[in-house]
Amino acid sequence: MPQFRKKPVDIEARCVPTYPQPRGRETSVVAYVNECVALAEWCGGRSHMMNDADSGIEDHILIPTLEGDMRALPGDYVIKGVKGEFYPCKPDVFAATYERVEPSPAATDDEMTTRVFAALHRSAEQDVSRVITLYERWAKAGPPPLGTSVSRWWDIRLAELHAAILPPGTQAEETPMGQQEQSAPVDWRAIAKQRERELKAVGEQKHAVEQERDGAYRERAHLVALLAAMTDGAVITYATDVDEPGWQIVYLTIGDRQASWHVSPRDADLFQHVERVEHDDPRAQWDGHTTEEKYTAIAAHTAELMQRCGPACSEMHTGTGRCETASNP
């Protein structure tokens, strides 16, 4: 019996943080929320943390996967696959499957671009935070005291604003005599336009990525709809594991193995021909297969069909029976 070994593939993964203990430590909670938001932004998902204990909803990161939105609970890992797809993984499965590797010293162009945009985003947030802090200090201090030179008072305020807007490390260094070098006039309009260009570029990149992702999902939906039309017993039902309304799951049997896909509301029109059943129908019960197991089974069945029939077979079928070409050589 032939045996195979899974190819070693490096993946990127992050662990969903757990709520800090003991509860009530403000600094720990803020760091926890920020880490969850950063993880959600990384995988293109949404952070649903700090849920009310009485709501019955567990804290989770909602991840858009090739099978639709899935939840990653605290302690779970979010994995970025070799094709850029994201999916959750339980910690015990992750520990048994993966081991930590040192990152390559040479980052790819995509990684470098991502880091640059992330750095710009953090820089903009830091600028805004420093200006807000300065404004609050001004509001608390109130107007200049009587007898103070208004022009001098404004010069000090402008110098403080200049120091708040410029990123740390760009301030003029002291000269050997302890005097500050004369700084050039600040072009506030140029700074604002530069920030606007940076934010616009980030928005355009995000929009392009979303369009590319939606196009890939639409292509996949077309192929699954075709496969459902060629498969006996295909059924579709509403997805109870997705919070957003309109999501469905289509169930097929391919080579005596179950295969299922989540169907987005925008792709529902492609599945009008599939029999619709209630979510408790025996034919619409997930058997526990993973995405990797599903496509491994499909690849094995495809190879089996080619071995039975060969490329000359003109019949379109996905059943397990032999076609006329194969049964009458």
Side-chain angles (χ1 to χ4, degrees):
M1 193 71 176
Q3 295 182 341
F4 299 88
R5 178 181 291 109
K6 187 177 180 180
K7 294 180 179 180
V9 177
D10 291 347
I11 53 94
E12 185 177 356
R14 300 186 185 182
C15 184
V16 180
T18 56
Y19 196 93
Q21 298 293 339
R23 288 176 175 263
R25 297 179 59 185
E26 183 178 352
T27 55
S28 299
V29 172
V30 171
Y32 166 73
V33 173
N34 290 338
E35 188 175 356
C36 294
V37 171
L39 174 57
E41 290 180 350
W42 172 66
C43 66
R46 297 188 299 279
S47 175
H48 293 272
M49 297 301 191
M50 303 293 291
N51 290 313
D52 189 346
D54 297 332
S55 67
I57 302 176
E58 294 182 284
D59 289 357
H60 64 277
I61 303 291
L62 197 63
I63 309 169
T65 74
L66 296 178
E67 306 303 320
D69 290 347
M70 294 186 179
R71 293 182 179 184
L73 304 179
D76 290 352
Y77 283 84
V78 179
I79 297 176
K80 182 178 182 181
V82 294
K83 295 184 179 180
E85 75 281 8
F86 292 91
Y87 53 92
C89 181
K90 290 299 179 184
D92 55 341
V93 176
F94 186 87
T97 309
Y98 301 99
E99 61 181 4
R100 190 176 185 89
V101 296
E102 293 300 325
S104 173
T108 64
D109 291 342
D110 289 343
E111 291 173 338
M112 186 62 67
T113 300
T114 301
R115 292 175 184 174
V116 169
F117 279 119
L120 290 174
H121 181 69
R122 288 194 299 270
S123 175
E125 287 184 336
Q126 292 168 359
D127 289 350
V128 171
S129 177
R130 288 194 299 271
V131 172
I132 291 176
T133 301
L134 179 62
Y135 169 77
E136 291 174 346
R137 193 170 75 225
W138 287 352
K140 184 177 180 180
L146 293 175
T148 302
S149 170
V150 176
S151 60
R152 179 173 176 78
W153 185 85
W154 269 114
D155 287 342
I156 296 175
R157 299 290 84 80
L158 289 175
E160 292 175 343
L161 181 61
H162 175 267
I165 292 178
L166 285 181
T170 61
Q171 309 293 334
E173 298 180 354
E174 291 188 357
T175 63
M177 297 297 295
Q179 299 291 331
Q180 285 281 337
E181 295 181 358
Q182 184 67 31
S183 59
V186 179
D187 190 345
W188 304 111
R189 188 182 299 274
I191 293 176
K193 286 185 176 180
Q194 176 63 23
R195 289 298 186 199
E196 183 179 358
R197 286 193 296 268
E198 293 169 357
L199 294 176
K200 183 179 179 181
V202 172
E204 290 176 348
Q205 185 191 45
K206 180 180 179 182
H207 180 67
V209 170
E210 289 176 347
Q211 282 189 320
E212 183 178 357
R213 179 200 64 191
D214 292 343
Y217 276 133
R218 185 68 175 179
E219 289 185 10
R220 189 200 70 164
H222 273 289
L223 294 176
V224 174
L226 174 62
L227 194 58
M230 297 166 56
T231 305
D232 293 334
V235 296
I236 191 169
T237 188
Y238 286 105
T240 58
D241 60 337
V242 181
D243 294 334
E244 296 182 9
W247 280 84
Q248 303 176 84
I249 303 179
V250 59
Y251 290 93
L252 312 179
T253 300
I254 301 176
D256 291 331
R257 296 288 298 272
Q258 185 188 79
S260 63
W261 289 267
H262 281 78
V263 178
S264 167
R266 62 177 175 271
D267 298 325
D269 59 302
L270 302 177
F271 295 85
Q272 300 291 337
H273 61 287
V274 181
E275 179 184 357
R276 186 174 304 281
V277 298
E278 296 297 329
H279 70 274
D280 56 355
D281 189 290
R283 295 170 294 174
Q285 303 304 309
W286 179 53
D287 66 359
H289 65 267
T290 65
T291 300
E292 184 177 1
E293 291 171 346
K294 174 178 65 180
Y295 287 111
T296 298
I298 290 176
H301 186 63
T302 301
E304 183 181 353
L305 288 177
M306 286 297 298
Q307 186 175 7
R308 289 181 193 165
C309 311
C313 179
S314 61
E315 293 191 16
M316 292 198 307
H317 59 85
T318 58
T320 58
R322 296 169 65 85
C323 65
E324 292 300 322
T325 301
S327 59
N328 298 290

